[in-house]
Amino acid sequence: MIFKNSQQDINIEETDDIKVVSLKISGGADSAIVGYMLSKYVAEERPDIKIIPLTTNHPKKPYQGVFAPRIINFYKDTFGEHIFGKHYINNVDVMNTNDDYINAQWDNFFEANNKENIQKNYSGITANPPLDIVDTFRNEKGNLINGPCDNRNGKNFPVLNDYSWRHLTNIDKKGVAELYETLGVMETLFPLTRSCEDHTMDFSSHCDNCWFCKERFWGFGRYI
């Protein structure tokens, strides 16, 4: 199933032997649209595939355990519950470095894989905005705000990394916003997502100041 995009078309297609795939779903806009496209493909072309959602609660991103289930419920209401398996949710017990978060995500995957025999994984990793745009992401003191620590400024990365599909790896937030528009879910799915990483338990608004808020507004022109 091909999803047209001005930055890079997305082709979601699995071979006949693939029966179980996982979806890393954080509650953010990127993984949410990947999950929507995957759900549409499975529901319309491969109902023999089961989708296993995976969420790891980050202590600095406590919205994940709240927003990810809402998004999964939206998929189920739209495409049917029958294409989904158990939603595996775990927590980061120790959060001193980014590796602690990555390790917790692996723990969650391994637990799910032991029970589900996952064959492919889907994630929502995107490209960063252009460097001249990133240069505008500054705080009140004029200092650059830290964003993703990995290299997301390149292009032409492979969309399949070992067993993991990263269909958005060459697409930035403007391209993600385009997908929401072309798929007709800007007013339904997008408001269910959250990108803000300001530590809070009040999820009624975005902080407007963190790197991820600035990226979201640059891409979508709105927060919710």
Side-chain angles (χ1 to χ4, degrees), residues 80-104:
E81 295 188 12
H82 62 287
I83 63 174
F84 294 93
K86 176 182 175 180
H87 186 177
Y88 287 80
I89 303 177
N90 73 337
N91 296 287
V92 180
D93 295 325
V94 178
M95 188 60 209
N96 295 320
T97 68
N98 189 59
D99 285 343
D100 294 327
Y101 181 47
I102 293 173
N103 291 335

Short mmCIF file of all heavy atoms in Angstrom, two decimals, residues 80-104:
data_model
loop_
_atom_site.label_atom_id
_atom_site.label_comp_id
_atom_site.label_asym_id
_atom_site.label_seq_id
_atom_site.Cartn_x
_atom_site.Cartn_y
_atom_site.Cartn_z
N GLY A 80 -11.05 -1.72 13.47
CA GLY A 80 -11.49 -2.96 14.10
C GLY A 80 -10.47 -3.51 15.09
O GLY A 80 -9.27 -3.41 14.86
N GLU A 81 -10.97 -4.08 16.17
CA GLU A 81 -10.09 -4.60 17.22
C GLU A 81 -9.37 -5.88 16.79
O GLU A 81 -8.33 -6.22 17.36
CB GLU A 81 -10.90 -4.87 18.49
CG GLU A 81 -11.49 -3.63 19.13
CD GLU A 81 -12.10 -3.92 20.49
OE1 GLU A 81 -11.85 -5.03 21.01
OE2 GLU A 81 -12.82 -3.06 21.02
N HIS A 82 -9.91 -6.57 15.80
CA HIS A 82 -9.42 -7.91 15.46
C HIS A 82 -7.99 -7.91 14.94
O HIS A 82 -7.33 -8.97 14.96
CB HIS A 82 -10.33 -8.54 14.42
CG HIS A 82 -10.39 -7.80 13.12
ND1 HIS A 82 -11.06 -6.59 12.99
CD2 HIS A 82 -9.85 -8.06 11.90
CE1 HIS A 82 -10.95 -6.16 11.75
NE2 HIS A 82 -10.21 -7.03 11.07
N ILE A 83 -7.47 -6.78 14.47
CA ILE A 83 -6.11 -6.76 13.91
C ILE A 83 -5.05 -6.48 14.98
O ILE A 83 -3.85 -6.44 14.66
CB ILE A 83 -5.98 -5.76 12.75
CG1 ILE A 83 -6.24 -4.32 13.23
CG2 ILE A 83 -6.93 -6.13 11.62
CD1 ILE A 83 -5.98 -3.27 12.16
N PHE A 84 -5.47 -6.28 16.22
CA PHE A 84 -4.53 -5.94 17.29
C PHE A 84 -4.41 -7.05 18.33
O PHE A 84 -5.38 -7.71 18.66
CB PHE A 84 -4.96 -4.64 17.99
CG PHE A 84 -4.89 -3.43 17.11
CD1 PHE A 84 -5.99 -3.02 16.40
CD2 PHE A 84 -3.70 -2.73 16.96
CE1 PHE A 84 -5.92 -1.92 15.56
CE2 PHE A 84 -3.62 -1.64 16.13
CZ PHE A 84 -4.73 -1.23 15.43
N GLY A 85 -3.19 -7.20 18.84
CA GLY A 85 -2.95 -8.06 19.97
C GLY A 85 -2.83 -7.23 21.24
O GLY A 85 -3.25 -6.07 21.28
N LYS A 86 -2.24 -7.79 22.25
CA LYS A 86 -2.07 -7.11 23.53
C LYS A 86 -1.19 -5.88 23.37
O LYS A 86 -0.21 -5.88 22.62
CB LYS A 86 -1.44 -8.08 24.53
CG LYS A 86 -1.13 -7.46 25.89
CD LYS A 86 -0.45 -8.47 26.82
CE LYS A 86 -0.04 -7.81 28.13
NZ LYS A 86 0.63 -8.76 29.05
N HIS A 87 -1.53 -4.81 24.10
CA HIS A 87 -0.71 -3.60 24.15
C HIS A 87 0.25 -3.77 25.33
O HIS A 87 -0.16 -3.75 26.49
CB HIS A 87 -1.59 -2.36 24.35
CG HIS A 87 -0.86 -1.08 24.27
ND1 HIS A 87 -1.50 0.15 24.37
CD2 HIS A 87 0.46 -0.78 24.10
CE1 HIS A 87 -0.60 1.12 24.27
NE2 HIS A 87 0.60 0.58 24.11
N TYR A 88 1.54 -3.93 25.03
CA TYR A 88 2.55 -4.12 26.07
C TYR A 88 3.07 -2.75 26.52
O TYR A 88 3.60 -1.98 25.72
CB TYR A 88 3.71 -4.97 25.55
CG TYR A 88 3.37 -6.42 25.39
CD1 TYR A 88 2.66 -6.86 24.27
CD2 TYR A 88 3.74 -7.36 26.35
CE1 TYR A 88 2.33 -8.21 24.12
CE2 TYR A 88 3.42 -8.71 26.20
CZ TYR A 88 2.72 -9.12 25.09
OH TYR A 88 2.40 -10.45 24.94
N ILE A 89 2.91 -2.45 27.81
CA ILE A 89 3.35 -1.18 28.38
C ILE A 89 4.24 -1.47 29.58
O ILE A 89 3.88 -2.24 30.47
CB ILE A 89 2.15 -0.32 28.84
CG1 ILE A 89 1.18 -0.08 27.66
CG2 ILE A 89 2.63 1.01 29.40
CD1 ILE A 89 -0.06 0.70 28.04
N ASN A 90 5.44 -0.87 29.58
CA ASN A 90 6.33 -1.01 30.74
C ASN A 90 6.85 0.35 31.15
O ASN A 90 6.51 1.37 30.54
CB ASN A 90 7.47 -1.99 30.45
CG ASN A 90 8.52 -1.42 29.51
OD1 ASN A 90 8.25 -0.51 28.74
ND2 ASN A 90 9.73 -1.97 29.56
N ASN A 91 7.66 0.39 32.20
CA ASN A 91 8.16 1.64 32.75
C ASN A 91 9.69 1.63 32.83
O ASN A 91 10.30 0.57 33.00
CB ASN A 91 7.61 1.89 34.16
CG ASN A 91 6.11 2.05 34.16
OD1 ASN A 91 5.57 3.06 33.74
ND2 ASN A 91 5.41 1.03 34.65
N VAL A 92 10.29 2.81 32.70
CA VAL A 92 11.71 2.96 32.94
C VAL A 92 11.93 3.02 34.44
O VAL A 92 11.47 3.96 35.10
CB VAL A 92 12.27 4.23 32.27
CG1 VAL A 92 13.77 4.35 32.52
CG2 VAL A 92 11.99 4.22 30.78
N ASP A 93 12.59 2.03 35.01
CA ASP A 93 12.81 1.99 36.46
C ASP A 93 13.92 2.94 36.88
O ASP A 93 13.85 3.56 37.95
CB ASP A 93 13.14 0.57 36.91
CG ASP A 93 11.97 -0.38 36.68
OD1 ASP A 93 10.82 0.07 36.84
OD2 ASP A 93 12.21 -1.54 36.33
N VAL A 94 14.97 3.04 36.06
CA VAL A 94 16.08 3.95 36.33
C VAL A 94 16.26 4.84 35.12
O VAL A 94 16.30 4.37 34.00
CB VAL A 94 17.39 3.17 36.59
CG1 VAL A 94 18.55 4.13 36.81
CG2 VAL A 94 17.23 2.24 37.79
N MET A 95 16.37 6.17 35.35
CA MET A 95 16.48 7.08 34.23
C MET A 95 17.62 8.06 34.47
O MET A 95 17.40 9.20 34.87
CB MET A 95 15.15 7.83 34.01
CG MET A 95 15.13 8.67 32.74
SD MET A 95 15.38 7.70 31.27
CE MET A 95 16.17 8.92 30.22
N ASN A 96 18.85 7.58 34.30
CA ASN A 96 20.02 8.44 34.44
C ASN A 96 20.55 8.89 33.09
O ASN A 96 21.08 9.99 32.95
CB ASN A 96 21.12 7.71 35.22
CG ASN A 96 20.71 7.41 36.66
OD1 ASN A 96 20.09 8.25 37.30
ND2 ASN A 96 21.06 6.23 37.14
N THR A 97 20.43 8.03 32.10
CA THR A 97 20.91 8.35 30.75
C THR A 97 19.87 7.92 29.73
O THR A 97 18.91 7.19 30.05
CB THR A 97 22.23 7.62 30.44
OG1 THR A 97 21.98 6.22 30.35
CG2 THR A 97 23.28 7.90 31.52
N ASN A 98 20.07 8.35 28.48
CA ASN A 98 19.16 7.95 27.41
C ASN A 98 19.23 6.44 27.18
O ASN A 98 18.24 5.83 26.75
CB ASN A 98 19.51 8.69 26.12
CG ASN A 98 18.48 8.50 25.04
OD1 ASN A 98 17.31 8.82 25.22
ND2 ASN A 98 18.89 7.95 23.90
N ASP A 99 20.38 5.84 27.48
CA ASP A 99 20.51 4.40 27.33
C ASP A 99 19.54 3.64 28.24
O ASP A 99 19.09 2.54 27.90
CB ASP A 99 21.94 3.95 27.63
CG ASP A 99 22.91 4.30 26.51
OD1 ASP A 99 22.43 4.57 25.39
OD2 ASP A 99 24.12 4.31 26.76
N ASP A 100 19.22 4.22 29.41
CA ASP A 100 18.26 3.58 30.30
C ASP A 100 16.90 3.46 29.64
O ASP A 100 16.20 2.45 29.79
CB ASP A 100 18.13 4.37 31.61
CG ASP A 100 19.41 4.35 32.43
OD1 ASP A 100 20.12 3.33 32.39
OD2 ASP A 100 19.70 5.37 33.10
N TYR A 101 16.52 4.50 28.90
CA TYR A 101 15.25 4.48 28.18
C TYR A 101 15.29 3.46 27.05
O TYR A 101 14.36 2.66 26.86
CB TYR A 101 14.96 5.88 27.64
CG TYR A 101 13.66 6.02 26.88
CD1 TYR A 101 12.48 5.51 27.37
CD2 TYR A 101 13.63 6.69 25.65
CE1 TYR A 101 11.28 5.65 26.68
CE2 TYR A 101 12.45 6.85 24.96
CZ TYR A 101 11.28 6.33 25.47
OH TYR A 101 10.11 6.47 24.77
N ILE A 102 16.39 3.45 26.30
CA ILE A 102 16.53 2.50 25.20
C ILE A 102 16.50 1.06 25.72
O ILE A 102 15.84 0.19 25.14
CB ILE A 102 17.83 2.78 24.43
CG1 ILE A 102 17.75 4.13 23.72
CG2 ILE A 102 18.12 1.66 23.42
CD1 ILE A 102 19.04 4.58 23.07
N ASN A 103 17.20 0.82 26.82
CA ASN A 103 17.22 -0.52 27.40
C ASN A 103 15.84 -0.96 27.86
O ASN A 103 15.47 -2.14 27.72
CB ASN A 103 18.21 -0.59 28.55
CG ASN A 103 19.65 -0.47 28.09
OD1 ASN A 103 19.99 -0.78 26.95
ND2 ASN A 103 20.53 0.01 28.98
N ALA A 104 15.08 -0.03 28.41
CA ALA A 104 13.71 -0.36 28.84
C ALA A 104 12.83 -0.69 27.65
O ALA A 104 11.97 -1.59 27.72
CB ALA A 104 13.12 0.80 29.65
#
